[in-house]
């Protein structure tokens, strides 16, 4: 019981201070495409790369990827035969993807597999590089796989009701021996997918109804955004420009573009620095007031008016206080 309460406490501390900081219009549906291929029935995981999207089917399908264009048509894909429970796909550079055969609902797999494959623009069979992966402490169910865009380090987020854990693989993956994951820190529970932003300094994890944005590697929550309603949302991707897309299971399901609030977009995809202007004696301007954001960045003035500070701060501390009292009471038994 103590372990359960402690995980609940850890999971609760991840999000409350970011909740309400920013939110999107969850009813808006900016449809990019609809999967036309009748074989895409349980889209789980999503990659956006070079104007194309890559997805995989959930458990029950053979091992294969689907490469889809902006019209929703399948224009390529790689197949490799047997698969146990494919749940995720992540970009590996511009011309390869990493597929996660990492699902383990019954928690009876001593190890799971990662497969590195080419991003195929035609249908063909391939022989993937296979990496065996193990967790400290035994089997873990997971559906989210991320690859850091700069270092290529692989991360996996567990899918757990009382708060998940983000794990890191060794920097260099081995094909000859198991690769042992190590925990990095707590994240939201019931994670169904995740992705890095282009510079590798922020990542996003989603569950069935929201997306939580984190600084990396600190894992400090930056913001939470409500996602549009979907049948069973199990995909999220970020392209090279920092645009966020989500997808769902179901035949002829849609890929949606998520419009991030301006203040959040400026944090996770900061614009390049402007050239230093040449001083001029004839003109001087007072700097516009700004609001200091997380990680020392200045957020636009509009961000300070989006939502008052005290409601989410008070809610976070109240929720944390209840959990601390509960934990203290259980320890005295």
């Amino acid at each position: 019981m103590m372990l359960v309460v402690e995980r609940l406490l850890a999971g609760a501390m991840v999000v409350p201070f970011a909740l309400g900081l920013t939110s999107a219009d969850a009813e808006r549906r900016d449809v990019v495409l609809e999967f036309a291929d009748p074989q895409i029935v349980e889209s789980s995981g999503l990659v956006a790369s070079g104007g194309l999207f890559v997805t995989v089917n959930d458990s029950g399908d053979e091992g294969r990827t689907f490469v889809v264009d902006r019209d929703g048509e399948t224009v390529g894909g790689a197949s490799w035969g047997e698969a146990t429970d494919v749940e995720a796909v992540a970009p590996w550079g511009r011309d390869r993807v990493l597929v996660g055969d990492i699902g383990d609902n019954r928690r009876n797999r001593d190890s799971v597999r990662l497969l590195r494959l080419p991003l195929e623009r035609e249908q063909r069979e391939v022989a993937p590089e296979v990496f065996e992966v193990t967790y400290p402490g035994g089997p873990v169910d997971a559906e989210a796989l991320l690859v850091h865009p700069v270092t290529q380090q692989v991360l996996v987020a567990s899918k757990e009701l009382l708060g998940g854990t983000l794990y890191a693989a060794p920097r260099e993956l081995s094909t000859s021996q198991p690769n042992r994951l190590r925990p990095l820190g707590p994240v939201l529970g019931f994670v169904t997918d995740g992705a890095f932003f282009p510079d590798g300094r922020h990542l996003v994890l989603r569950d069935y109804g929201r997306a939580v944005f984190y600084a990396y590697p600190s894992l400090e929550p930056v913001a939470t955004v409500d996602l549009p309603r979907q049948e069973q949302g199990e995909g999220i991707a970020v392209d090279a420009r920092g645009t966020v897309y989500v997808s769902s299971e179901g035949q002829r399901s849609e890929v949606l573009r998520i419009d991030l609030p301006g203040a959040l977009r400026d944090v996770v995809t900061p614009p390049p620095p402007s050239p230093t202007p040449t001083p001029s004696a004839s003109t001087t301007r007072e700097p516009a007031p700004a609001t200091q954001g997380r990680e020392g960045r200045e957020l636009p003035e509009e961000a300070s008016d989006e939502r008052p500070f005290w409601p989410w701060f008070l809610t976070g501390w109240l929720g944390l206080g209840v959990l601390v009292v509960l934990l203290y009471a259980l320890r005295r038994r």
Side-chain angles (χ1 to χ4, degrees), residues 82-98:
E82 183 181 355
T84 302
D85 189 355
V86 172
E87 292 283 359
V89 59
W92 192 293
R94 292 183 58 86
D95 57 358
R96 289 187 292 178
V97 295
L98 191 68

Side-chain angles (χ1 to χ4, degrees), residues 28-320:
R28 179 181 176 184
R29 301 183 68 83
D30 187 356
V31 179
V32 177
L33 63 90
E34 181 181 278
F35 291 127
D37 192 334
Q39 298 180 91
I40 303 177
V41 293
E42 294 189 17
S43 174
S44 182
L46 188 69
V47 164
S49 177
L52 298 172
F53 292 90
V54 185
T55 191
V56 291
N57 273 331
D58 204 338
S59 58
D61 195 12
E62 63 185 87
R64 56 178 171 170
T65 62
F66 298 87
V67 179
V68 180
D69 66 14
R70 289 273 175 161
D71 295 323
E73 299 292 337
T74 299
V75 295
S79 60
W80 65 92
E82 183 181 355
T84 302
D85 189 355
V86 172
E87 292 283 359
V89 59
W92 192 293
R94 292 183 58 86
D95 57 358
R96 289 187 292 178
V97 295
L98 191 68
V99 171
D101 190 343
I102 54 177
D104 192 8
N105 292 327
R106 298 182 179 180
R107 290 173 170 76
N108 57 10
R109 300 177 68 180
D110 293 331
S111 64
V112 293
R113 298 193 308 163
L114 306 177
L115 305 99
R116 191 158 57 198
L117 304 122
L119 197 163
E120 288 294 335
R121 288 168 174 80
E122 60 180 341
Q123 297 278 0
R124 73 182 184 96
E125 294 184 4
V126 300
E129 293 179 272
V130 180
F131 309 100
E132 184 182 358
V133 174
T134 62
Y135 295 90
V140 169
D141 186 31
E143 293 188 5
L145 176 68
L146 303 86
V147 175
H148 194 280
V150 179
T151 67
Q152 305 293 294
Q153 187 169 25
V154 174
L155 306 181
V156 177
S158 64
K159 184 181 182 183
E160 301 177 78
L161 181 60
L162 301 181
T165 300
L166 189 66
Y167 295 89
R171 288 292 180 96
E172 297 292 333
L173 292 175
S174 171
T175 59
S176 60
Q177 61 185 10
N179 298 272
R180 189 175 180 84
L181 300 177
R182 60 181 177 87
L184 294 182
V187 291
L188 80 160
F190 248 60
V191 179
T192 60
D193 201 13
F196 268 103
F197 281 84
D199 66 358
R201 297 178 62 185
H202 293 88
L203 60 86
V204 57
L205 299 174
R206 70 160 297 169
D207 60 17
Y208 291 116
R210 61 181 175 162
V212 180
F213 297 77
Y214 296 87
Y216 186 80
S218 70
L219 295 186
E220 178 188 7
V222 172
T224 298
V225 170
D226 294 328
L227 297 175
R229 189 174 294 109
Q230 297 174 290
E231 180 177 331
Q232 188 167 334
E234 296 198 358
I236 192 164
V238 180
D239 68 12
R241 294 174 297 180
T243 305
V244 178
Y245 304 90
V246 295
S247 59
S248 171
E249 289 192 359
Q251 198 168 49
R252 301 193 70 85
S253 59
E254 298 169 333
V255 173
L256 309 176
R257 182 188 294 107
I258 303 302
D259 185 19
L260 301 182
L264 173 59
R265 187 171 57 250
D266 289 344
V267 170
V268 296
T269 57
S274 302
T276 304
T278 303
S280 172
S282 59
T283 59
T284 58
R285 297 182 61 184
E286 292 295 325
T291 300
Q292 191 73 14
R294 292 173 182 255
E295 302 181 287
R297 285 192 179 89
E298 288 188 343
L299 300 184
E301 187 174 289
E302 60 178 339
S304 64
D305 297 327
E306 287 184 358
R307 194 172 296 264
F309 171 83
W310 64 267
W312 60 267
F313 183 82
L314 180 59
T315 301
W317 276 112
L318 285 175
L320 182 59

